[in-house]
Amino acid sequence: MQLYTIIDWFFTIGSLVLAILLGVYVNGAACLLGVFLYFIYPFIMEFSYNLLSVREEICIRNMPEIPIVYDESYNITACGIEKWHPFDSCKYGNVYRQIRQQVKGSHFTPKMLSRGTFLYLGMSKWYLLKMCYSAYASTLIELPVFFLPGAFLRSCLLDSMLLATSGSIQAAKLALEKGWAINLSGGYHHASLNRGGGFCIYPDITLVVNYLKRCCNLKKIVIVDLDAHQGNGYERDFLNDSSVYIIDFYNSYIYPGDHIAEQAISCFEHIDKDTSDQQYIKTLQRDLETHLKDDMEFLIYNAGTDIMAGDPLGHCCISAAGIKRRDEVVFKWAQHKKIPFLMLLSGGYQKENTFAIGESILQLIT
């Protein structure tokens, strides 16, 4: 558990105990002091944390044998509450174990990056403060958990997503070193620097781009987003940034339908339940050949599998074999162009997706 989360729990419990004691031993009005502390301490905690935290250098001290990034804490368990959402919150561990059955080399275990690093890469202080309150966070994760303490959501959900976001950034560094890397989580493409949505809290794709530009001096980055949903979060962050080239295939009939974010897309293709494997792969190959230029220095691949037939949220009809072929096409194009390649897992909302993800990754790395 992170130090921040421990302090969060301390103030949460302390303020509630104070409210009860004042109510019992003084009067009902006095307990409002404890309630007031409960609502005000996040302001104090966030201000102090932002002030004291410093930016850290991102480096890979122990180079792994295979550039796969994973930590067991990626998997989300919240006393069963996570089962209320269709997202398979433990798919990361299942994919990892499937890969481990055939690949024995060491992987990279990410560490949580400092608050100062996230702020340097553009995270909004105000947005981070709002995430301390479960009433706000519940609107982003689409679960009715507004009645729970913010510390509970942080320890059961937010810390896992923040670690996965840290993993995406460190995976980008690893990709620069090894030529490619896969983070077995991340791809929170509905999140921007100052807002979230669609079960996406932290904008790992935007943070990766900002890291590459600010810390690695890269000038031209391409995002290939093949999740079934529009990547409106990072698209809003790069609306006026011509150095970020966005290729986005998605079902425009479903969430989020963000017409403002659409303006950032360089190449858009609509897909739905009538799009066959053959049509999909042919269109993808054509667009990659047309839009992947020689001056592009890094490729971020958002490999959502909610385009798979039967997925309850994607409403598409691509087979497991089609997903394998899709990933192979993007991976080989990156290799052909000699562009460092970062793959993020993103969406996928049925148990069958997990096996398809594992099989696809195995074909790329073996």
Side-chain angles (χ1 to χ4, degrees):
M1 187 178 292
Q2 299 298 309
L3 177 61
Y4 185 99
T5 306
I6 294 173
I7 297 172
D8 197 359
W9 270 117
F10 174 81
F11 277 103
T12 296
I13 296 172
S15 58
L16 292 176
V17 169
L18 178 63
I20 294 171
L21 292 177
L22 289 173
V24 171
Y25 293 105
V26 184
N27 55 53
C31 79
L32 293 176
L33 178 62
V35 175
F36 175 76
L37 177 61
Y38 176 78
F39 284 104
I40 202 68
Y41 84 80
F43 285 85
I44 302 170
M45 192 167 64
E46 281 288 309
F47 176 80
S48 303
Y49 197 46
N50 291 337
L51 185 66
L52 297 175
S53 185
V54 297
R55 173 194 164 197
E56 61 184 306
E57 191 72 25
I58 298 172
C59 58
I60 309 295
R61 289 187 171 86
N62 298 311
M63 192 64 65
E65 293 175 315
I66 52 172
I68 284 181
V69 179
Y70 173 74
D71 189 278
E72 193 64 32
S73 297
Y74 280 5
N75 301 287
I76 299 169
T77 54
C79 302
I81 294 175
E82 73 282 356
K83 296 178 182 178
W84 297 355
H85 195 280
F87 187 77
D88 181 6
S89 59
C90 291
K91 75 175 182 179
Y92 315 117
N94 294 331
V95 170
Y96 174 75
R97 285 184 284 275
Q98 183 179 347
I99 294 171
R100 272 292 174 219
Q101 291 177 1
Q102 297 188 38
V103 178
K104 304 303 180 184
S106 63
H107 72 284
F108 180 78
T109 303
K111 69 169 186 174
M112 186 76 80
L113 298 179
S114 69
R115 172 63 66 88
T117 302
F118 287 115
L119 293 179
Y120 173 75
L121 295 178
M123 280 298 298
S124 163
K125 295 178 181 178
W126 175 242
Y127 175 61
L128 292 171
L129 170 63
K130 291 192 290 183
M131 289 308 305
C132 294
Y133 297 96
S134 55
Y136 177 73
S138 65
T139 65
L140 308 182
I141 61 176
E142 302 171 347
L143 291 174
V145 292
F146 55 88
F147 57 90
L148 294 172
F152 178 85
L153 286 186
R154 186 175 302 283
S155 57
C156 294
L157 174 67
L158 300 186
D159 280 352
S160 294
M161 289 187 167
L162 192 59
L163 179 61
T165 298
S166 298
S168 293
I169 298 169
Q170 291 165 83
K173 174 68 172 177
L174 191 57
L176 290 173
E177 299 282 345
K178 301 279 282 187
W180 63 272
I182 301 172
N183 185 23
L184 297 185
S185 186
Y188 304 132
H189 63 160
H190 298 309
S192 67
L193 293 172
N194 54 21
R195 61 186 288 184
F199 210 72
C200 297
I201 305 295
Y202 302 106
D204 64 327
I205 295 177
T206 295
L207 294 173
V208 165
V209 171
N210 288 348
Y211 165 71
L212 294 170
K213 293 170 69 175
R214 297 178 186 181
C215 302
C216 305
N217 297 316
L218 299 193
K219 306 299 183 185
K220 195 72 173 180
I221 298 162
V222 58
I223 300 170
V224 178
D225 192 341
L226 302 185
D227 186 276
H229 299 84
Q230 177 192 2
N232 63 314
Y234 66 82
E235 287 168 3
R236 281 181 171 263
D237 286 329
F238 300 121
L239 272 171
N240 301 306
D241 192 339
S242 60
S243 68
V244 180
Y245 199 90
I246 298 171
I247 299 173
D248 198 352
F249 285 35
Y250 60 88
N251 186 343
S252 57
Y253 300 147
I254 61 175
Y255 176 90
D258 191 332
H259 299 300
I260 294 176
E262 286 175 2
Q263 299 172 45
I265 300 174
S266 309
C267 171
F268 160 68
E269 298 289 352
H270 169 79
I271 60 169
D272 57 31
K273 62 183 179 180
D274 295 323
T275 306
S276 67
D277 286 10
Q278 184 178 10
Q279 291 172 317
Y280 186 88
I281 298 301
K282 182 178 179 180
T283 302
L284 177 61
Q285 289 176 319
R286 182 197 67 204
D287 287 347
L288 291 177
E289 184 174 1
T290 301
H291 297 283
L292 283 190
K293 305 299 183 182
D294 292 334
D295 62 341
M296 292 177 175
E297 300 171 286
F298 198 95
L299 190 153
I300 300 171
Y301 174 38
N302 200 45
T305 54
D306 47 3
I307 63 169
M308 188 171 168
D311 192 281
L313 299 185
H315 301 290
C316 295
C317 202
I318 304 301
S319 68
I323 288 174
K324 285 181 65 175
R325 179 63 180 141
R326 174 199 72 171
D327 294 348
E328 180 186 29
V329 166
V330 179
F331 188 75
K332 286 189 173 181
W333 263 105
Q335 289 187 318
H336 173 70
K337 291 289 186 178
K338 296 182 172 59
I339 306 173
F341 169 92
L342 169 62
M343 178 175 173
L344 307 171
L345 295 196
S346 200
Y349 305 95
Q350 58 182 344
K351 299 295 183 181
E352 293 81 1
N353 293 50
T354 299
F355 183 76
I357 294 167
E359 288 295 295
S360 183
I361 292 175
L362 282 169
Q363 71 159 345
L364 300 179
I365 67 177
T366 57

